[in-house]
Amino acid sequence: MSVETGRVPAAGSEPAGPGPDGREGRTSLAFTEEMSGHIALGVRDPRSGGVAERSPGGGCSFRLTISIDDLDRFLADPEHRARAEGWVDAGFAGGRRPVERGWFNLFAAGSTPDRREMRYRLWFTGADGLPRTLAGWKDVHHGPPTRLWLDTSTLFTQVMWGHVPEGEDVEAEVAGAGTLHIQPMDLAATLKSFTTDGADDGVAALARFGRFFVGQLWDVYRPG
């Protein structure tokens, strides 16, 4: 069983100062996201058809606040890492449990130039006192634009025993796997939840983030 080592750095832990573009001060950005679905215990592959949906008591959801402490550094970082805080709610963990540490990567590079991943890693402890890790990824890859909603709203998920650092999933003991999804109403709530603070004007910060988001989708789904 893997245990917490603290080797995954918290996003935004860099000292204050000029950003990569030389501007003084930070601009922070935050938004909330909710996803829900099912986890099948004893299953390792989250793509195992409808196994999770048929698993009794396998309901699982989370509500996260994604915090980008320094927008300049986030955009310059190839991993595009942010903090994730909130809760995980799952019957197999004893109900709603707080996220003790969490990380989110938006459009991290995938295995090919036209592939990106949205990655989630959440450390929490069940009501039984046992630590767990929820690790998930959205597989955003080249294809027809009609796939965009499916790819960006489906989270392939594993729940592992212990607080598992990034890079150690292969050796970790998997408790279960399945898929979580964003519902259209939840997406609408996410879009309304964006807040900014700091050096940039709020509208300008949202525009910069929006250009990055749309640009990444274009790089993946553009024709050719």
Side-chain angles (χ1 to χ4, degrees):
M1 181 182 299
S2 298
V3 297
E4 177 177 347
T5 67
R7 283 186 284 138
V8 184
S13 58
E14 306 89 345
D21 61 1
R23 293 185 302 169
E24 290 288 343
R26 290 179 174 179
T27 296
S28 62
L29 183 147
F31 60 92
T32 61
E33 182 178 33
E34 292 194 38
M35 300 193 73
S36 60
H38 292 80
I39 299 294
L41 300 181
V43 172
R44 188 177 186 92
D45 183 2
R47 302 176 190 260
S48 298
V51 172
E53 283 72 10
R54 298 193 299 270
S55 177
C60 181
S61 62
F62 62 61
R63 186 178 193 274
L64 302 174
T65 296
I66 305 298
S67 298
I68 299 169
D69 294 331
D70 187 327
L71 184 58
D72 287 336
R73 294 184 186 279
F74 173 83
L75 295 176
D77 175 12
E79 292 295 304
H80 308 299
R81 177 174 289 162
R83 286 185 293 111
E85 300 168 300
W87 48 257
V88 175
D89 195 341
F92 56 79
R96 185 169 297 183
R97 312 301 300 170
V99 173
E100 295 160 31
R101 293 187 73 185
W103 300 268
F104 170 68
N105 298 79
L106 180 62
F107 295 127
S111 56
T112 61
D114 58 359
R115 199 177 207 104
R116 303 288 188 275
E117 289 184 353
M118 301 186 196
R119 302 173 188 156
Y120 299 70
R121 184 168 299 269
L122 310 175
W123 289 355
F124 65 102
T125 300
D128 54 9
L130 298 177
R132 294 170 171 84
T133 297
L134 185 153
W137 66 96
K138 297 175 184 175
D139 185 10
V140 181
H141 58 279
H142 183 67
T146 52
R147 287 195 55 88
L148 191 153
W149 171 251
L150 178 64
D151 292 347
T152 58
S153 65
T154 302
L155 186 69
F156 298 104
T157 306
Q158 286 185 324
V159 175
M160 297 170 283
W161 293 108
H163 287 163
V164 182
E166 186 176 19
E168 296 190 9
D169 293 7
V170 174
E171 295 82 16
E173 182 181 354
V174 177
T179 55
L180 306 184
H181 302 274
I182 298 175
Q183 303 303 321
M185 289 297 292
D186 293 331
L187 175 62
T190 292
L191 295 175
K192 293 178 182 178
S193 71
F194 276 83
T195 61
T196 66
D197 186 44
D200 271 355
D201 170 80
V203 174
L206 289 173
R208 292 172 61 215
F209 181 82
R211 285 194 297 271
F212 162 75
F213 194 97
V214 173
Q216 292 291 315
L217 292 177
W218 172 253
D219 287 345
V220 172
Y221 293 103
R222 63 183 171 186

